[in-house]
mmCIF file of all heavy atoms in Angstrom:
data_model
loop_
_atom_site.group_PDB
_atom_site.id
_atom_site.type_symbol
_atom_site.label_atom_id
_atom_site.label_comp_id
_atom_site.label_asym_id
_atom_site.label_seq_id
_atom_site.Cartn_x
_atom_site.Cartn_y
_atom_site.Cartn_z
ATOM 1 N N GLY A 447 0.802 -1.217 0.000
ATOM 2 C CA GLY A 447 0.000 0.000 0.000
ATOM 3 C C GLY A 447 0.834 1.266 0.000
ATOM 4 O O GLY A 447 0.332 2.334 -0.356
ATOM 5 N N ARG A 448 2.051 1.195 0.457
ATOM 6 C CA ARG A 448 3.010 2.299 0.389
ATOM 7 C C ARG A 448 4.379 1.748 0.718
ATOM 8 O O ARG A 448 4.514 0.679 1.320
ATOM 9 C CB ARG A 448 2.647 3.438 1.348
ATOM 10 C CG ARG A 448 2.701 3.078 2.817
ATOM 11 C CD ARG A 448 2.650 4.316 3.690
ATOM 12 N NE ARG A 448 3.880 5.091 3.631
ATOM 13 C CZ ARG A 448 4.027 6.300 4.139
ATOM 14 N NH1 ARG A 448 3.003 6.900 4.711
ATOM 15 N NH2 ARG A 448 5.177 6.932 4.057
ATOM 16 N N THR A 449 5.403 2.504 0.358
ATOM 17 C CA THR A 449 6.747 2.087 0.668
ATOM 18 C C THR A 449 7.177 2.646 2.024
ATOM 19 O O THR A 449 6.829 3.768 2.386
ATOM 20 C CB THR A 449 7.745 2.546 -0.410
ATOM 21 O OG1 THR A 449 9.052 2.096 -0.033
ATOM 22 C CG2 THR A 449 7.751 4.060 -0.535
ATOM 23 N N PHE A 450 7.928 1.839 2.760
ATOM 24 C CA PHE A 450 8.460 2.274 4.047
ATOM 25 C C PHE A 450 9.973 2.350 4.024
ATOM 26 O O PHE A 450 10.622 2.376 5.063
ATOM 27 C CB PHE A 450 7.988 1.332 5.155
ATOM 28 C CG PHE A 450 6.526 1.451 5.455
ATOM 29 C CD1 PHE A 450 5.618 0.525 4.969
ATOM 30 C CD2 PHE A 450 6.036 2.507 6.202
ATOM 31 C CE1 PHE A 450 4.265 0.641 5.224
ATOM 32 C CE2 PHE A 450 4.680 2.634 6.472
ATOM 33 C CZ PHE A 450 3.801 1.703 5.974
ATOM 34 N N SER A 451 10.545 2.396 2.838
ATOM 35 C CA SER A 451 12.000 2.374 2.711
ATOM 36 C C SER A 451 12.665 3.596 3.339
ATOM 37 O O SER A 451 13.868 3.563 3.604
ATOM 38 C CB SER A 451 12.398 2.257 1.244
ATOM 39 O OG SER A 451 11.904 3.373 0.516
ATOM 40 N N ARG A 452 11.904 4.646 3.581
ATOM 41 C CA ARG A 452 12.475 5.860 4.174
ATOM 42 C C ARG A 452 12.073 6.024 5.647
ATOM 43 O O ARG A 452 12.364 7.070 6.246
ATOM 44 C CB ARG A 452 12.028 7.092 3.385
ATOM 45 C CG ARG A 452 12.471 7.072 1.932
ATOM 46 C CD ARG A 452 12.056 8.351 1.228
ATOM 47 N NE ARG A 452 10.607 8.457 1.053
ATOM 48 C CZ ARG A 452 9.944 7.969 0.014
ATOM 49 N NH1 ARG A 452 10.591 7.327 -0.931
ATOM 50 N NH2 ARG A 452 8.648 8.123 -0.080
ATOM 51 N N HIS A 453 11.462 5.001 6.210
ATOM 52 C CA HIS A 453 10.877 5.122 7.552
ATOM 53 C C HIS A 453 11.330 4.012 8.496
ATOM 54 O O HIS A 453 11.733 2.940 8.062
ATOM 55 C CB HIS A 453 9.354 5.086 7.450
ATOM 56 C CG HIS A 453 8.794 6.219 6.655
ATOM 57 N ND1 HIS A 453 8.432 7.427 7.219
ATOM 58 C CD2 HIS A 453 8.555 6.330 5.334
ATOM 59 C CE1 HIS A 453 7.995 8.225 6.262
ATOM 60 N NE2 HIS A 453 8.048 7.589 5.113
ATOM 61 N N VAL A 454 11.192 4.301 9.782
ATOM 62 C CA VAL A 454 11.489 3.315 10.817
ATOM 63 C C VAL A 454 10.428 2.212 10.812
ATOM 64 O O VAL A 454 9.241 2.479 10.635
ATOM 65 C CB VAL A 454 11.530 3.979 12.205
ATOM 66 C CG1 VAL A 454 11.670 2.932 13.305
ATOM 67 C CG2 VAL A 454 12.662 4.987 12.274
ATOM 68 N N MET A 455 10.877 0.985 11.037
ATOM 69 C CA MET A 455 9.973 -0.137 11.233
ATOM 70 C C MET A 455 10.398 -0.885 12.491
ATOM 71 O O MET A 455 11.558 -0.822 12.897
ATOM 72 C CB MET A 455 9.968 -1.069 10.019
ATOM 73 C CG MET A 455 9.506 -0.395 8.746
ATOM 74 S SD MET A 455 9.301 -1.529 7.366
ATOM 75 C CE MET A 455 7.750 -2.350 7.829
ATOM 76 N N GLY A 456 9.454 -1.580 13.092
ATOM 77 C CA GLY A 456 9.786 -2.242 14.346
ATOM 78 C C GLY A 456 8.920 -3.452 14.637
ATOM 79 O O GLY A 456 7.998 -3.771 13.879
ATOM 80 N N TRP A 457 9.271 -4.098 15.744
ATOM 81 C CA TRP A 457 8.529 -5.250 16.232
ATOM 82 C C TRP A 457 8.159 -5.023 17.702
ATOM 83 O O TRP A 457 8.987 -4.565 18.498
ATOM 84 C CB TRP A 457 9.352 -6.529 16.126
ATOM 85 C CG TRP A 457 9.538 -7.012 14.729
ATOM 86 C CD1 TRP A 457 10.581 -6.735 13.894
ATOM 87 C CD2 TRP A 457 8.674 -7.876 13.994
ATOM 88 N NE1 TRP A 457 10.396 -7.349 12.691
ATOM 89 C CE2 TRP A 457 9.235 -8.070 12.728
ATOM 90 C CE3 TRP A 457 7.455 -8.498 14.292
ATOM 91 C CZ2 TRP A 457 8.639 -8.867 11.749
ATOM 92 C CZ3 TRP A 457 6.857 -9.287 13.325
ATOM 93 C CH2 TRP A 457 7.450 -9.469 12.069
ATOM 94 N N PHE A 458 6.941 -5.363 18.028
ATOM 95 C CA PHE A 458 6.456 -5.342 19.400
ATOM 96 C C PHE A 458 5.861 -6.712 19.713
ATOM 97 O O PHE A 458 5.631 -7.516 18.808
ATOM 98 C CB PHE A 458 5.372 -4.264 19.571
ATOM 99 C CG PHE A 458 5.902 -2.863 19.539
ATOM 100 C CD1 PHE A 458 6.355 -2.282 18.363
ATOM 101 C CD2 PHE A 458 5.956 -2.105 20.708
ATOM 102 C CE1 PHE A 458 6.852 -0.984 18.340
ATOM 103 C CE2 PHE A 458 6.445 -0.810 20.701
ATOM 104 C CZ PHE A 458 6.887 -0.252 19.516
ATOM 105 N N ARG A 459 5.605 -6.963 20.991
ATOM 106 C CA ARG A 459 4.957 -8.209 21.375
ATOM 107 C C ARG A 459 4.014 -7.975 22.536
ATOM 108 O O ARG A 459 4.178 -7.030 23.304
ATOM 109 C CB ARG A 459 5.978 -9.287 21.722
ATOM 110 C CG ARG A 459 6.816 -8.991 22.945
ATOM 111 C CD ARG A 459 7.916 -10.050 23.102
ATOM 112 N NE ARG A 459 8.755 -9.804 24.268
ATOM 113 C CZ ARG A 459 9.862 -10.491 24.551
ATOM 114 N NH1 ARG A 459 10.256 -11.472 23.741
ATOM 115 N NH2 ARG A 459 10.546 -10.199 25.638
ATOM 116 N N GLN A 460 3.042 -8.868 22.639
ATOM 117 C CA GLN A 460 2.070 -8.760 23.721
ATOM 118 C C GLN A 460 1.703 -10.156 24.202
ATOM 119 O O GLN A 460 1.190 -10.966 23.436
ATOM 120 C CB GLN A 460 0.811 -8.020 23.243
ATOM 121 C CG GLN A 460 -0.165 -7.702 24.359
ATOM 122 C CD GLN A 460 -1.240 -6.721 23.909
ATOM 123 O OE1 GLN A 460 -1.469 -6.506 22.716
ATOM 124 N NE2 GLN A 460 -1.890 -6.093 24.867
ATOM 125 N N ALA A 461 1.988 -10.399 25.471
ATOM 126 C CA ALA A 461 1.619 -11.650 26.111
ATOM 127 C C ALA A 461 0.268 -11.472 26.805
ATOM 128 O O ALA A 461 -0.111 -10.343 27.143
ATOM 129 C CB ALA A 461 2.679 -12.065 27.116
ATOM 130 N N PRO A 462 -0.471 -12.559 27.019
ATOM 131 C CA PRO A 462 -1.781 -12.442 27.676
ATOM 132 C C PRO A 462 -1.687 -11.720 29.009
ATOM 133 O O PRO A 462 -0.825 -12.030 29.837
ATOM 134 C CB PRO A 462 -2.195 -13.910 27.864
ATOM 135 C CG PRO A 462 -1.495 -14.632 26.780
ATOM 136 C CD PRO A 462 -0.176 -13.938 26.618
ATOM 137 N N GLY A 463 -2.553 -10.730 29.197
ATOM 138 C CA GLY A 463 -2.581 -9.978 30.438
ATOM 139 C C GLY A 463 -1.557 -8.876 30.539
ATOM 140 O O GLY A 463 -1.523 -8.160 31.543
ATOM 141 N N ASN A 464 -0.714 -8.762 29.515
ATOM 142 C CA ASN A 464 0.332 -7.733 29.540
ATOM 143 C C ASN A 464 0.075 -6.665 28.496
ATOM 144 O O ASN A 464 -0.658 -6.873 27.538
ATOM 145 C CB ASN A 464 1.700 -8.367 29.280
ATOM 146 C CG ASN A 464 2.166 -9.255 30.406
ATOM 147 O OD1 ASN A 464 1.529 -9.313 31.466
ATOM 148 N ND2 ASN A 464 3.251 -9.962 30.187
ATOM 149 N N GLU A 465 0.721 -5.532 28.683
ATOM 150 C CA GLU A 465 0.660 -4.486 27.676
ATOM 151 C C GLU A 465 1.592 -4.843 26.512
ATOM 152 O O GLU A 465 2.528 -5.623 26.662
ATOM 153 C CB GLU A 465 1.070 -3.148 28.284
ATOM 154 C CG GLU A 465 0.098 -2.625 29.333
ATOM 155 C CD GLU A 465 0.473 -1.232 29.806
ATOM 156 O OE1 GLU A 465 1.571 -0.759 29.452
ATOM 157 O OE2 GLU A 465 -0.328 -0.619 30.532
ATOM 158 N N ARG A 466 1.312 -4.234 25.378
ATOM 159 C CA ARG A 466 2.192 -4.414 24.231
ATOM 160 C C ARG A 466 3.540 -3.771 24.544
ATOM 161 O O ARG A 466 3.603 -2.617 25.008
ATOM 162 C CB ARG A 466 1.573 -3.789 22.983
ATOM 163 C CG ARG A 466 2.261 -4.152 21.696
ATOM 164 C CD ARG A 466 1.439 -3.734 20.488
ATOM 165 N NE ARG A 466 0.141 -4.400 20.460
ATOM 166 C CZ ARG A 466 -0.697 -4.321 19.429
ATOM 167 N NH1 ARG A 466 -0.384 -3.609 18.358
ATOM 168 N NH2 ARG A 466 -1.865 -4.948 19.471
ATOM 169 N N GLU A 467 4.612 -4.497 24.291
ATOM 170 C CA GLU A 467 5.941 -3.993 24.622
ATOM 171 C C GLU A 467 6.858 -3.998 23.408
ATOM 172 O O GLU A 467 6.733 -4.810 22.498
ATOM 173 C CB GLU A 467 6.572 -4.840 25.742
ATOM 174 C CG GLU A 467 6.879 -6.268 25.363
ATOM 175 C CD GLU A 467 7.695 -6.999 26.432
ATOM 176 O OE1 GLU A 467 8.039 -6.402 27.466
ATOM 177 O OE2 GLU A 467 7.995 -8.191 26.208
ATOM 178 N N PHE A 468 7.801 -3.083 23.453
ATOM 179 C CA PHE A 468 8.786 -2.935 22.397
ATOM 180 C C PHE A 468 9.735 -4.126 22.389
ATOM 181 O O PHE A 468 10.164 -4.605 23.444
ATOM 182 C CB PHE A 468 9.566 -1.637 22.619
ATOM 183 C CG PHE A 468 10.748 -1.464 21.717
ATOM 184 C CD1 PHE A 468 10.572 -1.084 20.396
ATOM 185 C CD2 PHE A 468 12.024 -1.681 22.186
ATOM 186 C CE1 PHE A 468 11.661 -0.920 19.561
ATOM 187 C CE2 PHE A 468 13.120 -1.514 21.365
ATOM 188 C CZ PHE A 468 12.942 -1.133 20.049
ATOM 189 N N VAL A 469 10.089 -4.580 21.178
ATOM 190 C CA VAL A 469 11.075 -5.645 21.039
ATOM 191 C C VAL A 469 12.305 -5.137 20.298
ATOM 192 O O VAL A 469 13.423 -5.221 20.799
ATOM 193 C CB VAL A 469 10.484 -6.860 20.282
ATOM 194 C CG1 VAL A 469 11.562 -7.922 20.074
ATOM 195 C CG2 VAL A 469 9.305 -7.441 21.041
ATOM 196 N N ALA A 470 12.101 -4.601 19.102
ATOM 197 C CA ALA A 470 13.229 -4.151 18.283
ATOM 198 C C ALA A 470 12.732 -3.177 17.233
ATOM 199 O O ALA A 470 11.562 -3.199 16.856
ATOM 200 C CB ALA A 470 13.918 -5.337 17.616
#
């Protein structure tokens, strides 16, 4: 839908009962 080659990308994770947290 668009290119992200000029932008930051990342990974987050969320375990049951926890808030979404930063990974990388």
Side-chain angles (χ1 to χ4, degrees):
R448 65 167 289 170
T449 180
F450 290 101
S451 61
R452 299 183 291 272
H453 298 270
V454 173
M455 299 187 75
W457 288 93
F458 288 72
R459 65 187 180 187
Q460 188 168 17
N464 291 353
E465 294 186 351
R466 192 168 299 188
E467 66 171 359
F468 171 77
V469 176

